[in-house]
Amino acid sequence: MERAPFCLANGSTPLSLSDDFILPAHVRPVLSSVSTSITVPVIDLNDKQPSLIKNISEACEEYGFFHIINHGVPEELCRRMMAAISDFFKLPPQERSHLFTEDKTKPLRVSNYYLKVEGQYKVTMWSETLAHPWYAFDDFAHLLPRNPPHYRELASEYAKEIGWLMRRLLSLMSQGLGLKKDRLRERLGHKPRLVSQANYYPPCPQPELTLGLPAHTDLNALTVLMQSEDVTGLQVMIKDGEWISIDPVPNAFVVNIGDQIQVLSNGRYKSVHHRAVTNKDLERVSIAMFYGPNKDTVVGPIEELVDEEHPPMYRSYRYEEFLEEFHRQEGTRRRVKEAFELPN
Ligand SMILES: O=C(O)CCC(=O)C(=O)O
Ligand SMILES: [Fe+2]
């Protein structure tokens, strides 16, 4: 059966490649120059501790991105979660449009990203996102969309699993930095800001003219991302400015460091630029689970990681300040943590 053409929640006609979505030549993704020879590590969480910690630590220092397998989150739950998100974006646009808002303070929202070109005109990204809080150990189902029918239940179950996984990853990362197990989690505060962002990228007739998400670093501390198993789209910038593709690995999550861990680790673990490109034939879905401090948490390089040889690279700030700077740079290729760098 032919599927109804995709219509954005705030669009009145089926999505088509109009000028609103076409990037000017100098900011288009050059898909032919994306390297296929370099990949980020795939780390098996069943590995024994000392080498597991070492592998994670090296991946955080070198790439800021890695895959994890044998992560303990049931495959069936992951599959159902992806299906539910895909179904959400197939709801009639009128149903999604109730949730559409540009107000970032709304806990539950559907929105589009855009890129401001030459600091002024906006090019809309070829995607739509659904964002809402997630709490691993408190009930948050009432904040979620009622449709698709099992979404509330599923998202609650998934959040619990991701909550445990995040704890484990933060503990391994702390140890990788030579710190006590709980140090990173402690410094991120006991009431973390937890946001889930599901991204839907419909097929795009000319992927070389558009982007699904602009190049950005994640502003939070840690991201665990699940992506469609059969479609590529996520790309990461490595040291020399080259883009590489993070192709899906079966039953794996992508883990990436956000800005706050780069700051807490005094620059050792990297929060790197990444973007999503579009695909000509296939729709793609990703679900990013963000873990970050709350707005009152003070973030700065962890004391044990600062000494004469490693002077502090960033000044301390309340996370609210960081968020303000983040919003000030909306629509640009943000350089938020750079605003908190100390001269060396
Ligand atoms: O779709 C993707 O793979 C990237 C998503 C992402 O970077 C984000 O939501 O922050
Ligand atoms: Fe991201």
Side-chain angles (χ1 to χ4, degrees):
M1 194 179 69
E2 214 28 32
R3 193 190 305 141
F6 182 73
C7 205
L8 287 171
N10 72 331
S12 48
T13 52
L15 182 60
S16 71
L17 193 55
S18 64
D19 286 349
D20 290 349
F21 301 94
I22 298 180
L23 293 158
H26 68 285
V27 287
R28 287 179 194 161
V30 184
L31 301 176
S32 57
S33 70
V34 172
S35 170
T36 49
S37 58
I38 304 170
T39 55
V40 299
V42 178
I43 296 179
D44 186 341
L45 288 196
N46 278 348
D47 277 356
K48 293 258 171 332
Q49 276 271 9
S51 63
L52 177 58
I53 292 172
K54 181 168 167 284
N55 292 343
I56 289 186
S57 189
E58 282 173 4
C60 294
E61 289 182 10
E62 176 77 16
Y63 297 102
F65 262 84
F66 54 94
H67 282 109
I68 50 171
I69 53 170
N70 292 321
H71 43 64
V73 182
E75 275 169 35
E76 178 63 11
L77 177 61
C78 294
R79 199 193 51 69
R80 289 170 62 212
M81 193 57 196
M82 288 298 268
I85 285 297
S86 194
D87 288 348
F88 173 81
F89 288 103
K90 288 187 184 100
L91 292 173
Q94 309 81 284
E95 199 164 332
R96 284 179 283 121
S97 71
H98 298 304
L99 304 177
F100 186 89
T101 173
E102 284 169 11
D103 179 354
K104 303 266 183 302
T105 64
K106 288 262 182 334
L108 170 62
R109 59 197 170 84
V110 167
S111 59
N112 300 121
Y113 279 87
Y114 61 84
L115 190 65
K116 266 196 230 156
V117 183
E118 269 86 52
Q120 36 165 349
Y121 84 93
K122 291 181 179 179
V123 179
T124 310
M125 295 295 104
W126 192 268
S127 62
E128 187 169 280
T129 73
L130 165 69
H132 59 69
W134 65 275
Y135 307 123
F137 309 106
D138 291 320
D139 184 23
F140 66 104
H142 59 285
L143 299 171
L144 306 184
R146 284 180 192 280
N147 259 328
H150 299 301
Y151 185 67
R152 289 182 161 191
E153 212 179 297
L154 261 178
S156 306
E157 183 73 30
Y158 187 65
K160 263 196 205 100
E161 295 286 344
I162 297 295
W164 289 115
L165 179 61
M166 290 269 192
R167 272 198 190 196
R168 186 158 176 226
L169 289 168
L170 286 170
S171 157
L172 292 165
M173 286 172 184
S174 282
Q175 295 174 79
L177 289 165
L179 302 169
K180 287 205 296 262
K181 274 195 198 128
D182 291 339
R183 196 68 171 114
L184 275 176
R185 197 155 65 90
E186 224 170 69
R187 284 299 307 261
L188 288 164
H190 290 295
K191 282 206 155 89
R193 181 173 181 267
L194 304 173
V195 177
S196 139
Q197 176 171 309
N199 306 295
Y200 180 74
Y201 309 96
C204 174
Q206 288 190 269
E208 65 282 3
L209 302 183
T210 59
L211 274 172
L213 275 190
H216 66 282
T217 62
D218 288 352
L219 85 155
N220 54 285
L222 184 63
T223 304
V224 171
L225 180 117
M226 175 157 58
Q227 57 172 338
S228 298
E229 294 234 319
D230 45 358
V231 200
T232 62
L234 174 59
Q235 298 181 347
V236 169
M237 192 189 262
I238 54 171
K239 272 187 215 134
D240 53 5
E242 201 179 346
W243 288 99
I244 62 167
S245 176
I246 309 288
D247 294 347
V249 168
N251 303 318
F253 288 121
V254 176
V255 177
N256 71 283
I257 298 291
D259 292 346
Q260 305 316 309
I261 288 190
Q262 175 156 338
V263 171
L264 288 165
S265 71
N266 201 25
R268 251 176 76 184
Y269 287 178
K270 304 291 186 300
S271 169
V272 299
H273 277 97
H274 52 286
R275 67 184 182 189
V277 299
T278 59
N279 185 284
K280 195 162 188 310
D281 305 304
L282 301 168
E283 63 174 22
R284 179 170 176 270
V285 171
S286 67
I287 306 175
M289 303 290 275
F290 300 132
Y291 185 115
N294 69 37
K295 64 180 179 29
D296 296 318
T297 306
V298 175
V299 181
I302 293 180
E303 296 70 23
E304 299 91 300
L305 302 176
V306 176
D307 56 29
E308 227 164 281
E309 248 178 84
H310 307 93
M313 291 178 64
Y314 302 94
R315 70 168 176 85
S316 296
Y317 50 82
R318 272 178 69 225
Y319 189 56
E320 188 168 33
E321 249 190 281
F322 197 92
L323 288 174
E324 281 163 13
E325 181 62 30
F326 177 82
H327 292 309
R328 234 191 318 277
Q329 296 188 24
E330 168 105 54
T332 67
R333 175 120 170 211
R334 291 177 168 115
R335 291 171 54 81
V336 185
K337 57 186 171 309
E338 287 75 358
F340 298 88
E341 270 174 8
L342 290 170
N344 51 20

